[in-house]
Amino acid sequence: MSGPIIELADLRRSFVVRRKVGRLRRERTEVRAVDGISLRVEPGESVGYIGANGAGKSTTIKMLTGILVPTSGSVRTCGLDPVPQRRRLAAEIGVVFGQRSQLWWDLPLRDSFRVLGALHRLDAGVAHRRSAELVDRLDLERLLDTPVRQLSLGERMRGEVAAALLHRPRLLVLDEPTIGMDMISKERLRRFLVEQREASGTTLLLTTHDMSDIERLCDRVLVVDRGRLVHDGTLAGLAETVALDRVLVVDLPGPHPDLVVRDVRHVDSELDGQRQRLAFDPRRTTAARVLSDVSAQVEVVDLTLSEPAIEDVVQTLYARPTEEPVD
């Protein structure tokens, strides 16, 4: 099956919210959760879909998986119309929602995998081999006989990812997949997802508040704000669009007065000026030029360049007026 894995055209979803006004009257308000999103995701892409709480991410995912019907516009997932062809679509996608489980709460993890294999009508041998592969790669062996309700959140999330990949879906949708995990478990899961994508060509759509997940897993970033797509590009392009200050940290041979450099803001000094932080707008100057100007004044022993945190980039993007276009 060729064509895009996800194709949205002017997709919209509105909800009517009723709130009490006075003692006897209720007011109806239309809320646009998704407001005209158009995009394509091609096979094999790894896409981060990020936004603040209430921005429209979950509503979009529910429409592309067939849980919600769009108010208007169109959505096709794996070449299928998600609502009327929901059963066929279930064989093509795997979904992990951080706060909702597809595992059986009172069953051991092993039994959940067996039931899911049967639901997907997998050959018993194929299901067993695939389960064994996922159990090994996600370090689940010691958890197989533990009821799901007794697993920690991080352990359950690893089980959820294994369950979502059991039938080798073309599209894997992950909502906060590393929630509740320690740093080692997070990195192991990220490495596993990268390997799965390379081996199987799985398309990945990831929503998360952990920007490290985006940096490690995604080639493309979609930012949604108040139901509208406000950025579609790379992480580097997102940082350039927002253009937050970068910070050059220079270490000098000894104490030194605060440096004065053109197009640069002096942030602070330590050790009587032996270490100084200089912030600059990348649209006005470059790190090389700032370093050159500093070196003309004093010897530089060491330096580091701090890029803006992705959280700060996204927060700044959210703060833009909605009418301001973002390419």
Side-chain angles (χ1 to χ4, degrees):
M1 190 182 295
S2 59
I5 292 292
I6 297 172
E7 187 170 21
L8 313 181
D10 197 26
L11 187 66
R12 299 174 189 270
R13 173 69 195 202
S14 299
F15 297 94
V16 174
V17 177
R18 296 174 176 82
R19 64 185 185 90
K20 196 172 182 180
V21 180
R23 296 180 61 185
L24 301 175
R25 185 164 157 259
R26 290 184 178 273
E27 183 177 81
R28 291 162 54 96
T29 305
E30 184 182 70
V31 176
R32 296 179 181 177
V34 174
D35 192 11
I37 291 180
S38 298
L39 61 91
R40 288 167 59 106
V41 175
E42 301 297 334
E45 281 196 271
S46 182
V47 180
Y49 192 51
I50 61 178
N53 290 330
K57 306 185 302 299
S58 295
T59 302
T60 307
I61 289 174
K62 287 175 181 177
M63 286 190 284
L64 67 86
T65 54
I67 297 172
L68 280 178
V69 179
T71 301
S72 64
S74 67
V75 52
R76 292 192 72 80
T77 307
C78 298
L80 302 171
D81 191 340
V83 175
Q85 296 178 293
R86 192 171 171 184
R87 287 193 175 185
R88 287 181 59 191
L89 182 60
E92 303 287 346
I93 64 173
V95 182
V96 174
F97 288 114
Q99 304 303 324
R100 293 187 180 181
S101 181
Q102 63 192 309
L103 304 171
W104 274 259
W105 201 242
D106 293 313
L107 290 181
L109 193 57
R110 186 193 308 276
D111 290 348
S112 283
F113 292 157
R114 288 174 179 162
V115 172
L116 286 167
L119 286 175
H120 285 294
R121 299 180 180 178
L122 299 179
D123 175 82
V126 171
H128 177 73
R129 288 190 296 273
R130 179 60 170 164
S131 295
E133 175 191 353
L134 293 168
V135 165
D136 177 62
R137 294 294 295 112
L138 289 167
D139 192 25
L140 295 170
E141 181 67 38
R142 64 183 178 83
L143 305 175
L144 285 176
D145 295 314
T146 304
V148 171
R149 58 182 165 78
Q150 293 180 12
L151 300 176
S152 70
L153 179 56
E155 291 169 341
R156 181 170 68 79
M157 290 307 297
R158 281 186 282 146
E160 297 281 359
V161 171
L165 287 169
L166 189 63
H167 59 297
R168 299 186 185 274
R170 297 175 64 207
L171 170 65
L172 178 63
V173 180
L174 300 175
D175 182 12
E176 301 288 355
T178 60
I179 190 169
M181 293 186 185
D182 58 39
M183 292 304 297
I184 295 175
S185 296
K186 284 184 179 184
E187 188 55 32
R188 181 167 186 165
L189 177 59
R190 292 166 186 157
R191 191 162 56 243
F192 166 77
L193 291 171
V194 169
E195 292 170 357
Q196 283 291 301
R197 182 184 166 211
E198 291 174 350
S200 304
T202 307
T203 304
L204 176 66
L205 182 66
L206 170 68
T207 72
T208 181
H209 286 91
D210 189 331
M211 290 303 113
S212 295
D213 288 347
I214 300 292
E215 290 173 323
R216 285 282 284 109
L217 295 173
C218 299
D219 306 320
R220 177 182 173 196
V221 181
L222 306 171
V223 183
V224 63
D225 183 29
R226 287 162 283 193
R228 298 181 180 179
L229 191 64
V230 295
H231 176 81
D232 181 354
T234 63
L235 267 180
L238 177 59
E240 285 180 15
T241 298
V242 177
L244 292 177
D245 284 354
R246 288 156 172 76
V247 177
L248 183 68
V249 183
V250 292
D251 288 341
L252 311 179
H256 194 279
D258 290 351
L259 292 164
V260 178
V261 182
R262 59 179 174 168
D263 296 327
V264 167
R265 174 173 57 86
H266 188 276
V267 179
D268 60 32
S269 294
E270 297 178 14
L271 305 173
D272 293 328
Q274 190 168 349
R275 169 170 291 177
Q276 302 193 28
R277 291 178 177 82
L278 307 170
F280 64 93
D281 184 338
R283 295 171 299 185
R284 300 182 61 188
T285 189
T286 65
R289 184 181 300 167
V290 174
L291 179 59
S292 176
D293 289 348
V294 170
S295 298
Q297 301 179 45
V298 63
E299 179 187 356
V300 176
V301 176
D302 198 5
L303 63 90
T304 57
L305 180 63
S306 300
E307 298 289 340
I310 296 302
E311 292 91 337
D312 295 336
V313 173
V314 174
Q315 185 176 3
T316 302
L317 190 60
Y318 291 159
R320 290 171 178 261
T322 53
E323 66 272 15
E324 182 179 347
V326 179
D327 298 327

